[in-house]
Amino acid sequence: MVRDNTNTTGQPPKFKVLTRANIDKSPEWQRLPEEIQESVKTVSAVLPFRVNQYVLDELIDWSNVPDDPMFQLTFPQRGMLSDKHYTTMRRLIREDAEKAEIEEAANRIRLELNPHPAGQMTHNVPTVDGEELPGVQHKYRETTLFFPSSGQTCHAYCTFCFRWAQFVGMNDLKFAAKEASQLRCYLEHHPEVTDVLITGGDPMVMKAKIFAAIVDEIIKVETVRTVRIGTKSVAYWPQRFVTDNDADDILKQFERIIQAGKHVAVMGHYNHPVELSTPVAEECVRRIRSTGANIRMQSPIIRHINDDAGSWAELWRRGTQLGCIPYYMFVERDTGAQRYFELPLVRCWEIFREAYQRVPGTARTVRGPSMSCFPGKCHVLGVTEVGGQKAFMLEYLQARDPSLVRQPFFAKYDPTATWYDDLKPLTKSDEKFFSYPEETPASTVGLTVDRADAYAEKN
Ligand SMILES: *Cc1c(COP(=O)(O)O)cnc(C)c1O
Ligand code: SF4
């Protein structure tokens, strides 16, 4: 297939990463007020920070910092740590403490922030012939998640993401091939699985060659109908599909899957309409779609980043215009970042509703707000009154127990509730929707089930 590659100007841009170690060399940094510089340096001693030149140059509006949504999305913020943690860390930095001392304090803080350290698996791990499959999670009957080890980082990091427990990637072709053949084996034993969701980190950080090794295996499985690729690269580094030297090869892999008779669904993680505003972002969508793949858009709703109906309406309108399909609005669970990003469920629903009202039917393919919790994906349908009592009306869009799906149920209204755990059944008949089964079907090694959910929806 011939693809138009003409909108590149001169040399193709090189992917350039900036972190805590080198951000102070960038001209943008020099223009930041000292106070913000200090808070970025302090918080990023504890939480990961990674941004790239494209995000700095094209997505952040520096005249609007610190409120700019893309700045909030990628730069660690003062409010992400408690006062206690923040002042401890700031003191060490001001005193120019030893690296080891800073690291030790950071680790202590991380442990307090992260109530579920990775590696504490208590749930079943999928196995094939007695062998455990790391990097595979199978929670809902039709869909299996695959976390290839070579896709465990991202082109930039989102401040709201819990990720400090993982992101130890490995870029080894042999290993990728082995993982993929184990996945194939699992899928062949599970013909009920029609969808494979390749996720991360971000699987599109993979070189095309490594991705091809995974595709080689998946296309052999006849029962797989759809291959989903969860990725933020379409927003953080759309050059991945346009000017990177293996951009065409990556797209060729999408075509191979399609030629094998399967659908390719790119689950594009777009948080804000500005991510669709650049020529390269548009070209990225155009090139992905030219393979026959679709792009579905999903994002959590996050305070400071996209907690306004206007942003969502524009995201869905603009996405639809480019041929993307609005898919999910997720509610963000506690990220460990000091409630900085949290919104009450009722507010999430109001924003969803207001945005939904403003878009045409073609963009109303979106569902939400939805919480990925233990029993399933819990959809907040709205606030209503039942027998004179104010209540949340809810349903499961996905559930471990498929019989629960699409049955409306109720929880007591609570204007401060931010997550499923805060909700109480309204009546006796609502109780079964809140029960946790003893055993879970399967899970991911190294990730708690809940965390794997979070990654699944973030990518
Ligand atoms: C969201 C999710 C899926 C995919 O669900 P769909 O409704 O098919 O999009 C699969 N597994 C997990 C763990 C998820 O959170
Ligand atoms: S949300 Fe996705 S892209 Fe963002 S840091 Fe987490 S895994 Fe990476």
Side-chain angles (χ1 to χ4, degrees), residues 333-346:
R333 71 195 54 232
D334 172 23
T335 60
Q338 172 69 356
R339 330 218 122 189
Y340 183 72
F341 296 114
E342 198 171 73
L343 281 165
L345 290 177
V346 59

Side-chain angles (χ1 to χ4, degrees), residues 132-437:
E132 293 189 343
L133 299 190
V136 175
Q137 190 206 10
H138 188 186
K139 175 169 167 177
Y140 305 132
R141 193 171 53 202
E142 310 79 15
T143 308
T144 290
L145 309 185
F146 177 49
F147 300 78
S149 17
S150 38
Q152 296 306 316
T153 183
C154 313
H155 290 103
Y157 291 155
C158 309
T159 41
F160 65 78
C161 178
F162 344 34
R163 74 185 90 79
W164 56 83
Q166 63 153 47
F167 287 7
V168 270
M170 176 155 50
N171 260 311
D172 181 76
L173 185 56
K174 265 207 202 113
F175 194 84
K178 179 172 176 240
E179 265 180 342
S181 88
Q182 287 175 325
L183 171 70
R184 171 164 67 92
C185 211
Y186 183 78
L187 295 171
E188 281 168 349
H189 283 80
H190 291 272
E192 74 278 14
V193 176
T194 58
D195 281 40
V196 176
L197 169 51
I198 307 173
T199 182
D202 192 327
M204 292 290 101
V205 300
M206 262 188 256
K207 290 279 165 239
K209 222 182 244 157
I210 294 191
F211 183 57
I214 295 171
V215 171
D216 287 346
E217 296 297 323
I218 293 180
I219 59 178
K220 288 180 192 149
V221 187
E222 255 165 53
T223 42
V224 170
R225 295 170 188 256
T226 294
V227 178
R228 302 191 207 183
I229 297 150
T231 183
K232 176 82 193 162
S233 60
V234 290
Y236 276 161
W237 187 244
Q239 292 83 346
R240 179 73 196 92
F241 305 94
V242 182
T243 50
D244 273 10
N245 53 23
D246 61 350
D248 286 356
D249 286 345
I250 265 286
L251 295 176
K252 212 168 282 158
Q253 301 314 314
F254 293 2
E255 285 170 353
R256 283 180 68 214
I257 303 171
I258 292 162
Q259 274 153 16
K262 304 179 193 311
H263 173 47
V264 173
V266 173
M267 311 307 285
H269 172 193
Y270 291 104
N271 298 118
H272 193 276
V274 74
E275 296 167 337
L276 280 168
S277 69
T278 67
V280 67
E282 285 175 26
E283 180 64 5
C284 161
V285 170
R286 209 188 62 72
R287 294 188 111 225
I288 290 172
R289 294 188 66 237
S290 78
T291 66
N294 274 340
I295 302 174
R296 287 174 176 75
M297 311 167 72
Q298 59 186 42
S299 167
I301 176 165
I302 314 144
R303 194 148 65 92
H304 305 291
I305 295 172
N306 58 17
D307 55 336
D308 66 291
S311 293
W312 283 93
E314 184 52 19
L315 179 65
W316 297 334
R317 276 194 295 252
R318 183 78 188 116
T320 304
Q321 180 183 7
L322 294 170
C324 302
I325 305 163
Y327 192 60
Y328 270 130
M329 174 201 273
F330 290 115
V331 180
E332 187 57 12
R333 71 195 54 232
D334 172 23
T335 60
Q338 172 69 356
R339 330 218 122 189
Y340 183 72
F341 296 114
E342 198 171 73
L343 281 165
L345 290 177
V346 59
R347 190 68 201 118
C348 298
W349 166 67
E350 283 165 358
I351 292 168
F352 181 91
R353 206 172 144 242
E354 206 185 305
Y356 194 86
Q357 284 168 7
R358 295 190 201 170
V359 301
T362 41
R364 293 189 189 185
T365 47
V366 66
R367 290 167 300 169
S370 163
M371 295 176 274
S372 287
C373 42
F374 194 91
K377 275 196 171 57
C378 182
H379 185 191
V380 181
L381 286 162
V383 176
T384 186
E385 242 179 56
V386 186
Q389 243 186 306
K390 222 171 169 189
F392 280 113
M393 185 172 174
L394 308 155
E395 69 174 1
Y396 286 112
L397 294 167
Q398 263 298 4
R400 289 171 192 277
D401 170 2
S403 76
L404 295 184
V405 170
R406 284 270 173 173
Q407 285 194 55
F409 64 100
F410 297 94
K412 292 195 172 105
Y413 179 68
D414 175 355
T416 64
T418 57
W419 189 249
Y420 172 85
D421 292 351
D422 303 327
L423 299 176
K424 305 264 178 315
L426 184 72
T427 66
K428 260 217 126 21
S429 63
D430 296 310
E431 280 169 13
K432 70 171 175 189
F433 296 97
F434 289 85
S435 69
Y436 282 12

